[in-house]
Amino acid sequence: MVHSFSLNMLALLSAGIAGLVLSAEPVPVRALHCMAGPKADTEACEQFIREVLPKEGVTHLILEIGYSYQFKSHPKLGSASAMGRDDLRKLLKACQQSKIKLIPQFNCLGHQSWAKVTSSLLKKHPEFDETPYVPEDNEGIYCRSWCPLHPEVHKIVFDLLDELADACDADAFHVGMDEVFLIADPKCPRCGGKDPAVLFAGEVKKLHDHFAEKKREMWMWGDRFIDGKKMNVGKWEGSENNTFASVDQVPKDIVICDWHYDQAPDTPQFFIEKGFRVVACPWKKSDVALGQLKNLKGLAEKHSDKALGMLQTTWVSFPEFIRAYHGKSTTPDAIGSAGCFKALLAAMRVK
């Protein structure tokens, strides 16, 4: 069962860091990340936005939509059971009335498959695949990537991104970009032999410049910018495939979402020193989340313009997170993230 408020405050005390919440200065960004649910759950999500998120103090909702949308620009790339524009507009209205910024998310470059299922872009356009020789069931890989140098891929991708951004009246957009393992594949006729850092930076800049033209701020996960070995965070929360050098090759007005789930390393300071604004991102462990918050508040004393706040990740659908929040889920990830969310937001609300 999800922890109650009182249990969360006991957790704060037992963690030995309750003092971090004594500052009267608010954390500017108190964000929640969830994956979009089916069209049938739109009303429940709308109600949760109106009734719960303002009480918790949430300022930003990052909704990972991806291909779970009824696209008009490219209907074959969407899903008939997913939300359409009218549904997304209902969530937008609920967010606006609750003074919450809605930021849509679409995973770019990597995460073009999951387990044995390949996402619709590479299914419908296999010519965009960085590794088309990988078996159809994706055996032996984590997630597929699109080829960043394919001359046609961005024409379609930008249509999808713009359609989602326009539906949300978004002045900010989250492009994902985490856990990109398939890049500069030696068998790719365009990317083979090229520097992964140069390719990754090129994709980041291409996306950034597209949004900049439309006066939209870009958010992204930060793991590919971190030297996983040097900073001792490994190949998931950092890069061990040499994309990390790209951190010095990309625009600095990107908001970096720095996720770490088992520890609270000093990576936000790394990004701030590189010139970025940063939000720290926990998942299921309240002690880790509170450690990240403590570190971030320390940084904010000197870098209030760059240490923006916290982003609670969930990695479940928005409806499943709602069920977990109300103690009605049996999904461990949902239960864990909801408990962490309650503890973190409680800490940020205390003056």
Side-chain angles (χ1 to χ4, degrees):
M1 182 176 292
V2 176
H3 298 305
S4 67
F5 175 82
S6 59
L7 288 177
N8 283 323
M9 293 310 295
L10 287 173
L12 286 174
L13 293 169
S14 64
I17 53 177
L20 72 91
V21 300
L22 296 180
S23 171
E25 292 299 319
V27 177
V29 173
R30 302 181 295 280
L32 173 66
H33 161 276
C34 287
M35 295 186 286
K39 177 183 177 71
D41 288 315
T42 300
E43 185 176 346
C45 296
E46 183 183 1
Q47 183 179 0
F48 190 78
I49 292 169
R50 294 182 187 278
E51 297 180 0
V52 177
L53 295 189
K55 294 178 182 178
E56 290 285 2
V58 170
T59 60
H60 295 64
L61 174 62
I62 296 179
L63 190 63
E64 184 175 327
I65 303 171
Y67 301 100
S68 297
Y69 188 73
Q70 296 181 29
F71 287 105
K72 298 293 186 182
S73 58
H74 298 277
K76 292 182 179 180
L77 299 185
S79 169
S81 63
M83 291 188 300
R85 178 181 171 85
D86 290 345
D87 305 298
L88 200 49
R89 297 294 289 183
K90 290 179 182 178
L91 299 188
L92 172 63
K93 185 176 180 181
C95 284
Q96 290 172 333
Q97 293 177 344
S98 301
K99 295 182 171 55
I100 295 170
K101 176 181 280 195
L102 178 61
I103 300 179
Q105 180 185 338
F106 185 100
N107 283 330
C108 293
L109 189 59
H111 278 285
Q112 298 305 307
S113 67
W114 185 252
K116 295 184 178 182
V117 179
T118 298
S119 298
S120 56
L121 178 68
L122 298 189
K123 272 190 174 180
K124 301 297 182 181
H125 295 279
E127 69 275 16
F128 295 161
D129 199 331
E130 176 75 0
T131 55
Y133 59 85
V134 169
E136 188 174 343
D137 64 0
N138 300 324
E139 183 178 359
I141 66 165
Y142 175 58
C143 292
R144 291 183 186 263
S145 300
W146 70 55
C147 172
L149 297 183
H150 194 287
E152 303 296 326
V153 66
H154 294 97
K155 294 178 182 179
I156 294 177
V157 168
F158 287 162
D159 286 344
L160 303 180
L161 303 185
D162 289 346
E163 185 172 348
L164 292 177
D166 290 343
C168 294
D169 290 347
D171 61 7
F173 198 101
H174 197 304
V175 298
M177 300 286 284
D178 61 319
E179 300 175 336
V180 177
F181 296 118
L182 297 182
I183 189 169
D185 187 83
K187 294 183 181 180
C188 177
R190 294 166 294 274
C191 301
K194 290 185 168 55
D195 184 342
V198 172
L199 290 175
F200 190 80
E203 186 70 1
V204 171
K205 287 186 285 189
K206 190 178 291 288
L207 292 165
H208 168 273
D209 292 350
H210 176 77
F211 285 120
E213 287 179 4
K214 298 176 180 294
K215 302 187 185 309
R216 287 172 174 146
E217 182 179 69
M218 192 169 101
W219 292 43
M220 64 178 287
W221 305 117
D223 53 286
R224 295 305 92 188
F225 290 142
I226 299 171
D227 186 333
K229 292 182 178 178
K230 182 178 179 180
M231 303 198 74
N232 197 33
V233 296
K235 70 176 183 180
W236 295 92
E237 297 183 7
S239 168
E240 293 184 1
N241 63 344
N242 299 317
T243 63
F244 51 81
S246 62
V247 72
D248 295 317
Q249 305 173 35
V250 300
K252 304 304 182 186
D253 59 348
I254 298 168
V255 175
I256 301 297
C257 301
D258 183 32
W259 64 272
H260 299 282
Y261 297 155
D262 295 307
Q263 58 182 323
D266 59 0
T267 45
Q269 180 173 341
F270 164 76
F271 284 117
I272 287 172
E273 290 174 351
K274 289 291 185 180
F276 296 99
R277 291 165 295 156
V278 64
V279 293
C281 310
W283 183 21
K284 295 187 295 185
K285 296 183 177 181
S286 298
D287 59 336
V288 172
L290 297 172
Q292 290 171 320
L293 178 59
K294 180 180 180 181
N295 292 344
L296 193 88
K297 284 197 168 187
L299 288 169
E301 292 178 1
K302 294 183 179 180
H303 308 283
S304 59
D305 59 329
K306 296 192 182 301
L308 298 185
M310 302 291 296
L311 166 59
Q312 172 69 54
T313 67
T314 65
W315 304 114
V316 293
S317 72
F318 198 6
E320 188 61 32
F321 177 79
I322 293 171
R323 287 189 284 272
Y325 181 90
H326 291 303
K328 297 178 180 179
S329 174
T330 59
T331 304
D333 286 351
I335 295 169
S337 59
C340 185
F341 170 78
K342 288 187 175 184
L344 178 62
L345 270 292
M348 288 191 284
R349 286 197 305 274
V350 175
K351 301 299 183 185

